[in-house]
Amino acid sequence: LHAQDPTIGLQFHDASVSDGYTLFTPSANNSVYLINNCGEVLNEWTFNERPGATCYILENGNLLRAGRQGIETRDWENNVVWSFSMESIGLNQHHDIEPLPNGNVLCVITDTYTDAEMIAMGRNPSILDPEFKLDKIIELEPDGATGANIVWEWKFIDHFIQDFDAAKVNYGVVEDHPELLDLNFDNGFNFDWTHVNAIDYNADLDQIIISPRHLSEIYIIDHSTTTAEAAGHTGGNSGMGGDLLWRWGNPQVYRQGDTSDQKVFKQHDTKWVENGYLDEGKISIFNNGGDGTDTFSSVHLIEPNIVGGVYTKIDDKFAPVDYDWSWDGSILGETVLENSRSGGHSLPNGNFIFCESSKGRFSEVAKDGTHLWTYRNPTYDTGIYNQFDEPTGNALFRGEKYPTDYVGFTGRDLTPSSIIENVNGLSDTCINGLSVSNNDLESLTLINPVSNGAIQFNKAISLNAITIADVNGRIVYSIGAFSGNTLNTELLPALYFVKLQFEDAIETRKIIVK
């Protein structure tokens, strides 16, 4: 078991991984798990329906989770604290929610309009389907065990400008109004035009950030408004009502720049970096389309500039000109490419954790791109995969990693129980703290010649990485964390060089494969 790469659970572990606990909710079942860096379960919750998308641990230690029909809060022991049915008031909640410091919850809601309603707003009939989806945001105030009151609301439909129909009140010069949305921007999604997939709140600014995927932009709006002000263009701390305070990623949408200025492509999971973190105040994002070629995905940090409470522009485009930090690459030999879903966020020490939704996989990387940790959801709709099975139904939307000193963990029992899957040699190594000294590495030998691709060491050992190159220097095999005394490969007969790495120490050995 130690000589095989785990297909589920913990797949890679570096000693430099940041301290913290990862929360995730599988898409195909009703469970929510909190795990440590070794893949051990610290707590598990079970809900009555599958997730709508996301879940969060609140500062009081309760878990807030969006289902497909409603929202529910459970305490650490899995008791229901609050449960509210969105369907009961005719709302279509989707994708993301955001807990607020006052105990309320921001929710992303979809409204559906007829083509006649959109034409009356100034939409060009040639880019309409029979129905047209637009999102709105509501703030729910929990009321008792099963009730809620809508105490604030913001809608896209209140903040349009168009230059198609001069008879409409929102007719104007699109280029002169970056605070408004061009109703006739043709993004190819005539049915689901905005498709907001993420929402986050900044208490210091009293502002909200949202991610309308189909517009390839992210927006910041003022939350300090009343509902009436949010529907207009004045009021609130900004004096701009519910208009856009900042937008970024695709200035073509407000007719500034060209395709070379686009930085965001069908993105997910935009949020502010938490206060007290190394990159506090910056904005993180998972860029599904990478550079627009759809050949890779990327993660980024963005740093807007605010002067006198106003977000600045450069050459009529909202600042900054480019990303503050970016990463794209491969994890365990696979290029990170997710056409939909997924997400990521910055960690206290500046590391970045992200989720590849279709693989059900989380990974953490350092700022310099060093791969530090990977975990893969081992569950599916009706059970748990066996180790070394290749999971196919283990998708999840995204996850959250909390530092170990997060206030929500105060007074909670965080005693690890076990890993979720049946076996995992890498978790065993992590749990037991197995390691090797540099002297041990220097004395390590490989048994030559190698038969049937099975590389044998003179003793059991734990390493951070093993890389094998042929005589031309071409990498033919690599593995992350390894523990054991036999490494099974499929190397062809030839001479190879095996690089062994533990922390900062690297040793190279020569092998001959028969």
Side-chain angles (χ1 to χ4, degrees):
L1 295 180
H2 283 275
Q4 300 181 58
D5 296 339
T7 57
I8 53 174
L10 188 63
Q11 292 190 294
F12 185 83
H13 183 279
D14 185 276
S16 299
V17 63
S18 61
D19 289 336
Y21 306 132
T22 301
L23 182 77
F24 68 95
T25 175
S27 298
N29 57 59
N30 300 352
S31 295
V32 177
Y33 298 96
L34 182 68
I35 61 170
N36 61 18
N37 285 336
C38 292
E40 297 175 290
V41 176
L42 305 179
N43 203 20
E44 179 180 353
W45 297 262
T46 304
F47 288 75
N48 296 324
E49 61 172 334
R50 293 184 182 179
T54 50
C55 58
Y56 300 97
I57 295 178
L58 305 178
E59 291 189 353
N60 63 5
N62 290 343
L63 183 78
L64 174 68
R65 179 179 182 265
R68 298 190 177 186
Q69 299 175 348
I71 301 177
E72 197 164 273
T73 302
R74 290 179 179 251
D75 64 18
W76 196 260
E77 289 73 32
N78 201 38
N79 301 305
V80 177
V81 176
W82 174 64
S83 180
F84 179 69
S85 170
M86 288 290 196
E87 284 192 333
S88 68
I89 57 173
L91 295 181
N92 180 21
Q93 181 270 328
H94 65 97
H95 280 84
D96 201 6
I97 56 177
E98 171 69 6
L100 297 179
N102 62 2
N104 294 350
V105 184
L106 294 174
C107 308
V108 179
I109 307 292
T110 290
D111 284 337
T112 302
Y113 299 85
T114 65
D115 56 354
E117 288 175 311
M118 296 313 301
I119 291 170
M121 290 291 299
R123 177 79 171 180
N124 185 340
S126 68
I127 47 175
L128 269 176
D129 284 342
E131 291 184 335
F132 194 79
K133 284 184 178 180
L134 287 173
D135 292 307
K136 67 181 178 184
I137 300 166
I138 64 168
E139 180 179 340
L140 282 182
E141 176 189 54
D143 184 6
T146 59
N149 304 308
I150 299 176
V151 296
W152 185 83
E153 185 175 67
W154 177 93
K155 298 181 179 181
F156 269 104
I157 202 165
D158 296 323
H159 303 282
F160 286 134
I161 189 169
Q162 53 84 28
D163 56 7
F164 174 76
D165 189 343
K168 303 299 187 291
V169 295
N170 58 7
Y171 182 80
V173 180
V174 173
E175 296 92 326
D176 294 343
H177 293 278
E179 78 280 6
L180 300 174
L181 270 167
D182 179 6
L183 178 57
N184 288 304
F185 178 75
D186 189 0
N187 62 0
F189 294 92
N190 297 333
F191 173 60
D192 189 8
W193 197 65
T194 52
H195 194 85
V196 172
N197 56 42
I199 184 169
D200 192 46
Y201 176 71
N202 187 312
D204 293 337
L205 300 172
D206 201 5
Q207 294 174 3
I208 296 168
I209 191 168
I210 55 176
S211 168
R213 167 183 164 85
H214 290 166
L215 292 166
S216 292
E217 283 192 294
I218 52 179
Y219 303 144
I220 291 177
I221 60 174
D222 192 345
H223 175 258
S224 69
T225 57
T226 64
T227 295
E229 290 171 335
H233 314 292
T234 61
N237 294 337
S238 66
M240 294 176 59
D243 289 343
L244 307 183
L245 306 181
W246 179 81
R247 58 197 301 179
W248 201 84
N250 189 12
Q252 299 170 95
V253 182
Y254 54 102
R255 299 188 187 175
Q256 299 294 335
D258 54 31
T259 55
S260 65
D261 296 298
Q262 185 171 353
K263 302 295 181 184
V264 171
F265 301 86
K266 301 175 184 176
Q267 76 291 337
H268 278 77
D269 196 17
T270 182
K271 55 169 66 87
W272 278 283
V273 179
E274 299 284 346
N275 286 342
Y277 286 22
L278 182 65
D279 290 300
E280 67 173 271
K282 297 177 184 179
I283 293 168
S284 62
I285 190 172
F286 188 99
N287 199 8
N288 293 77
D291 61 356
T293 61
D294 290 326
T295 56
F296 67 92
S297 298
S298 50
V299 294
H300 308 275
L301 291 175
I302 307 159
E303 188 171 20
N305 185 45
I306 306 176
V307 178
V310 177
Y311 289 88
T312 62
K313 301 187 189 76
I314 300 174
D315 295 331
D316 295 322
K317 296 182 267 305
F318 281 95
V321 173
D322 208 345
Y323 295 109
D324 177 76
W325 171 83
S326 300
W327 180 91
D328 62 81
S330 60
I331 295 295
L332 301 179
E334 298 177 286
T335 298
V336 174
L337 173 59
E338 289 288 340
N339 293 320
S340 65
R341 300 175 295 173
S342 305
H345 61 93
S346 190
L347 297 171
N349 61 0
N351 291 352
F352 202 95
I353 186 170
F354 61 89
C355 167
E356 298 168 86
S357 286
S358 68
K359 295 182 175 67
R361 188 166 73 176
F362 304 101
S363 295
E364 181 178 329
V365 295
K367 275 288 182 58
D368 62 3
T370 302
H371 179 204
L372 301 174
W373 185 79
T374 291
Y375 181 90
R376 196 170 188 187
N377 170 30
T379 72
Y380 59 100
D381 55 351
T382 59
I384 300 169
Y385 289 101
N386 288 318
Q387 189 62 269
F388 311 121
D389 290 343
E390 182 59 34
T392 56
N394 67 328
L396 39 82
F397 186 59
R398 65 180 193 233
E400 305 289 328
K401 186 169 186 177
Y402 298 85
T404 54
D405 61 356
Y406 175 61
V407 64
F409 298 140
T410 304
R412 305 297 171 183
D413 183 2
L414 293 166
T415 305
S417 56
S418 64
I419 61 174
I420 300 172
E421 65 275 21
N422 54 338
V423 293
N424 190 314
L426 187 55
S427 283
D428 292 342
T429 299
C430 177
I431 295 165
N432 296 323
L434 298 179
S435 62
V436 59
S437 69
N438 291 348
N439 290 334
D440 287 337
L441 188 58
E442 292 173 1
S443 65
L444 187 66
T445 61
L446 282 65
I447 299 174
N448 269 302
V450 173
S451 300
N452 300 319
I455 300 174
Q456 292 187 328
F457 302 97
N458 62 325
K459 57 185 175 182
I461 198 164
S462 180
L463 300 169
N464 294 130
I466 300 176
T467 304
I468 303 176
D470 62 18
V471 292
N472 296 315
R474 183 173 63 93
I475 302 299
V476 296
Y477 183 90
S478 64
I479 185 175
F482 168 82
S483 182
N485 60 5
T486 303
L487 175 64
N488 292 310
T489 70
E490 297 181 356
L491 297 175
L492 299 174
L495 173 67
Y496 297 94
F497 296 91
V498 182
K499 183 172 72 173
L500 310 169
Q501 181 176 352
F502 174 72
E503 295 181 349
D504 295 330
I506 296 177
E507 293 286 331
T508 301
R509 301 288 182 269
K510 181 171 65 176
I511 60 170
I512 298 173
V513 177
K514 296 196 300 180

